[in-house]
Amino acid sequence: MIRAVTAFNGYPVSVFFAVLLHGLIFGALFYMQRANTEVIDIVRPPVVKALLVAENPQARNEELQRQQAQRVADQRRAEQRRQEQARQEQQRREEQQRREAEQRAQAEQQRRTEAERQQAEQRRQAQLQKERQEQQQREAQQRRQQELAAQQEAARQEQLRQEQAQREAAASAAAAELARTDAELVTAYSAVIHDLVQQNWSRPPSARNGMVAVLRIQMVPTGDILNVEVVQSSGDYAFDRAAETAVLKVRRFSELQGMDIRLFERNFRTFLLTFRPQDLLN
Amino acid sequence: MGESLNVWELIAGATTAVQLVMLTLMSASVTSWVMIIQRWMVLSGAEKSMFGFEKRFWSGMDLSQLFREGSSQQKDNKPTGGMENIFRAGFKEFMRLRQQGGIDSEVIMGGAQRAMRVAYSREEEKLEKNLTFLATVGSVTPYIGLFGTVIGIMNSFISLASQSQASLQVVAPGIAEALIATAMGLFAAIPAVVAYNRYSSRVESITNNYSTFAEEFSSILHRQLYSNPGKQA
């Protein structure tokens, strides 16, 4: 034993014991740490959990805008469907009228053939009346021809009407398409505006969740801001001022320069911007 | 802070500089403990052999027989103790000078004392080996740990600067991680300082015993030299 300990001046034994000691100490530390972990789990305050919920106001705004655009598109589709139904109703009515006219014509024809038979009997009885009857027959034929022509005319007009309806439907579809791309563009431009304003927005410490300030912004087609005014105050002067300053700091939405002038006039000449701090903790 | 802080996760997630500091401290701690244990064994062995030799020396045994016993022990690859080495150096020199003959007794005494002084300083060096390392660890590791802490806190404040909303949860892990470095520095330093103080006092008492023995032995040699001067002639 003594010899083993004193071999190499006792260094191997020393190394063994030193490493063993550190291993024991760190093992104890690790064990205590695990015991502590459970305690921490129990006392963890609920406020800490709330911190993890980070809401991006921009994403929320985008979501709202998307929903609105969806709603508008739905309304437009419903309108289109209603028009389509009205048109089909009209078509059905016309069809019925035509069918009735045909029936009338058939009845007429039957009546006429009966008359002819009677005339033939009468011809045998009285030849004098023959000429008059022949004339009547001719007249009847003429009438029939006229009726036929009228029928053809009606069919032609019906076809014309159908074609026009189709043209109208195509035109309305194109308009809807245009409106949809317009809506997309407006959404994109709004997102740009929101981004820029948000970057320049420094919220005052008095800002609270639930505060809403609405600003009316007037612009010219170059993207320069002419005027900013608070339409709806949040009740906190500093918050209103901060919102106003954020817009004024942007000074110019240069991204809006290449925009279609029709879109600009309709959506961005004057528009409202809503400020609400959603991601605050208090 | 969904999951609680774990020391191991903190160490694993620390910055490279702090990890390097921690590694240095860890190796310093292990090495200092190796020294502590090894010194403890060396000093205990020295004390034990010293007391054993003193007992044998004062038992009235013949000095030349004592010397022969030591020689046979060395032949068996068993090292002799520090005090025995001093005795052997002095006795060997004394006998050699005495056997040559015609040498003045003053010169013989001077030679034996010189040989014992050399053996004494060699033994002292053996005992004090590595004690300076313990002293260095004890005084320097707190500073290394502090350095790691400062680096870690600096990093955590730098990351705090890039946060829009500063909260305690952002800084806390960085500071906790940094403080681990200080804790490790102290962990390495405290045993080293205690061991250094303890061992240096032990070394001092052992070397005092050695020098006392050397004085006593030289007085014995002196007595032997002058009690029977006829042997010299």
Side-chain angles (χ1 to χ4, degrees):
Chain A
M1 181 62 200
I2 302 289
R3 283 198 68 166
V5 167
T6 49
F8 300 106
N9 284 330
Y11 277 112
V13 181
S14 312
V15 169
F16 171 75
F17 278 115
V19 171
L20 186 74
L21 183 84
H22 283 80
L24 280 177
I25 286 168
F26 280 96
L29 196 67
F30 184 59
Y31 182 76
M32 273 156 57
Q33 198 67 43
R34 287 182 63 178
N36 283 346
T37 307
E38 285 154 23
V39 175
I40 286 166
D41 270 347
I42 293 162
V43 252
R44 187 172 44 194
V47 187
V48 174
K49 256 190 174 171
L51 259 176
L52 273 177
V53 183
E55 193 186 17
N56 189 353
Q58 194 190 339
R60 196 176 168 284
N61 285 345
E62 280 170 3
E63 176 70 18
L64 276 178
Q65 278 166 2
R66 203 167 50 246
Q67 280 175 358
Q68 202 164 5
Q70 178 77 24
R71 215 162 33 236
V72 170
D74 282 351
Q75 276 176 0
R76 206 173 292 126
R77 256 200 299 281
E79 176 74 18
Q80 222 172 329
R81 215 177 300 126
R82 208 164 52 239
Q83 280 178 357
E84 179 75 14
Q85 275 178 352
R87 206 169 51 77
Q88 279 178 353
E89 183 72 19
Q90 177 100 12
Q91 218 169 342
R92 204 162 46 240
R93 255 201 312 275
E94 280 165 3
E95 181 81 13
Q96 202 167 3
Q97 278 176 357
R98 200 163 45 85
R99 222 176 290 131
E100 278 170 9
E102 271 176 15
Q103 279 175 355
R104 258 202 310 277
Q106 267 181 347
E108 190 95 352
Q109 210 166 0
Q110 274 182 352
R111 231 177 300 129
R112 257 197 316 276
T113 50
E114 215 166 318
E116 274 172 28
R117 232 183 293 130
Q118 279 174 356
Q119 276 168 5
E121 280 174 24
Q122 279 172 354
R123 217 175 353 192
R124 245 178 285 140
Q125 288 168 356
Q127 282 183 336
L128 274 173
Q129 286 180 342
K130 209 185 275 176
E131 269 188 15
R132 208 177 51 196
Q133 279 171 354
E134 276 174 5
Q135 199 173 357
Q136 272 181 349
Q137 237 175 356
R138 263 201 305 280
E139 277 172 9
Q141 204 160 5
Q142 223 168 12
R143 242 189 346 262
R144 209 160 56 220
Q145 274 176 351
Q146 272 174 357
E147 272 174 14
L148 209 69
Q151 272 176 11
Q152 278 173 351
E153 177 66 25
R156 204 168 53 81
Q157 273 181 356
E158 172 68 18
Q159 203 175 359
L160 269 176
R161 241 195 321 276
Q162 275 183 358
E163 275 170 11
Q164 195 170 359
Q166 273 174 356
R167 263 200 307 279
E168 275 172 7
S172 72
E177 178 74 18
L178 196 64
R180 200 167 64 238
T181 53
D182 278 1
E184 276 168 8
L185 273 175
V186 168
T187 313
Y189 280 120
S190 308
V192 168
I193 289 171
H194 280 250
D195 254 13
L196 282 172
V197 173
Q198 209 159 22
Q199 276 167 22
N200 285 293
W201 187 20
S202 59
R203 279 168 296 199
S206 57
R208 294 287 175 275
N209 271 343
M211 276 187 177
V212 178
V214 182
L215 265 65
R216 180 185 290 131
I217 299 164
Q218 291 177 0
M219 273 200 296
V220 289
T222 54
D224 284 299
I225 292 163
L226 282 186
N227 190 26
V228 182
E229 55 179 323
V230 179
V231 181
Q232 187 195 324
S233 171
S234 62
D236 181 37
Y237 180 70
F239 186 79
D240 295 349
R241 291 293 310 161
E244 217 175 319
T245 315
V247 179
L248 287 175
K249 252 195 210 160
V250 180
R251 208 156 61 215
R252 178 177 199 171
F253 297 102
S254 45
E255 283 84 352
L256 263 63
Q257 274 178 6
M259 193 174 176
D260 186 5
I261 192 72
R262 183 178 52 82
L263 263 185
F264 179 83
E265 291 294 341
R266 201 184 301 158
N267 297 294
F268 292 110
R269 170 68 73 180
T270 305
F271 68 99
L272 297 176
L273 201 57
T274 310
F275 286 77
R276 50 167 90 81
Q278 290 289 355
D279 53 344
L280 293 181
L281 299 174
N282 44 9
Chain B
M1 201 153 58
E3 67 266 33
S4 70
L5 286 175
N6 190 325
V7 172
W8 307 109
E9 285 165 13
L10 280 181
I11 291 172
T15 44
T16 319
V18 178
Q19 276 178 341
L20 276 177
V21 165
M22 285 177 182
L23 196 71
T24 312
L25 291 175
M26 192 66 204
S27 51
S29 175
V30 171
T31 318
S32 75
W33 271 98
V34 169
M35 297 306 168
I36 288 169
I37 295 167
Q38 195 262 347
R39 276 302 96 184
W40 178 76
M41 289 193 305
V42 166
L43 292 181
S44 306
E47 275 170 352
K48 210 170 132 193
S49 67
M50 180 179 79
F51 291 133
F53 178 75
E54 266 190 326
K55 206 186 264 171
R56 263 159 65 212
F57 185 79
W58 297 114
S59 68
M61 189 192 268
D62 185 27
L63 291 185
S64 51
Q65 199 196 334
L66 199 62
F67 184 82
R68 275 199 298 279
E69 273 181 14
S71 300
S72 65
Q73 193 185 337
Q74 277 181 340
K75 256 178 216 151
D76 291 351
N77 260 336
K78 282 181 190 166
T80 47
M83 197 180 259
E84 194 170 356
N85 284 345
I86 293 171
F87 158 76
R88 285 172 62 77
F91 191 72
K92 194 194 250 173
E93 190 66 23
F94 176 79
M95 291 305 283
R96 197 182 287 154
L97 288 172
R98 208 182 173 188
Q99 274 164 11
Q100 277 182 7
I103 295 174
D104 191 34
S105 41
E106 282 298 322
V107 177
I108 294 173
M109 271 318 293
Q113 272 170 350
R114 208 177 304 115
M116 279 197 290
R117 262 203 304 281
V118 169
Y120 168 80
S121 60
R122 201 171 286 143
E123 289 304 315
E124 191 180 29
E125 194 184 336
K126 258 190 215 168
L127 290 176
E128 279 181 343
K129 198 176 150 200
N130 290 334
L131 275 188
T132 47
F133 178 80
L134 283 182
T136 310
V137 166
S139 56
V140 164
T141 48
Y143 293 114
I144 298 176
L146 201 61
F147 171 71
T149 300
V150 169
I151 295 278
I153 289 183
M154 210 172 76
N155 281 333
S156 79
F157 275 113
I158 285 170
S159 67
L160 183 67
S162 62
Q163 294 269 328
S164 59
Q165 283 188 359
S167 68
L168 201 58
Q169 273 81 4
V170 181
V171 219
I175 292 179
E177 158 210 312
L179 288 177
I180 290 175
T182 308
M184 286 176 77
L186 294 177
F187 175 77
I190 292 169
V193 170
V194 170
Y196 174 72
N197 288 334
R198 177 91 190 90
Y199 289 168
S200 47
S201 75
R202 267 176 97 178
V203 166
E204 205 174 290
S205 82
I206 291 171
T207 48
N208 275 343
N209 274 338
Y210 283 178
S211 58
T212 313
F213 169 77
E215 289 301 317
E216 284 170 341
F217 182 53
S218 62
S219 76
I220 289 173
L221 288 181
H222 195 263
R223 205 186 309 135
Q224 206 173 33
L225 205 61
Y226 286 99
S227 61
N228 46 355
K231 202 178 178 181
Q232 198 182 14

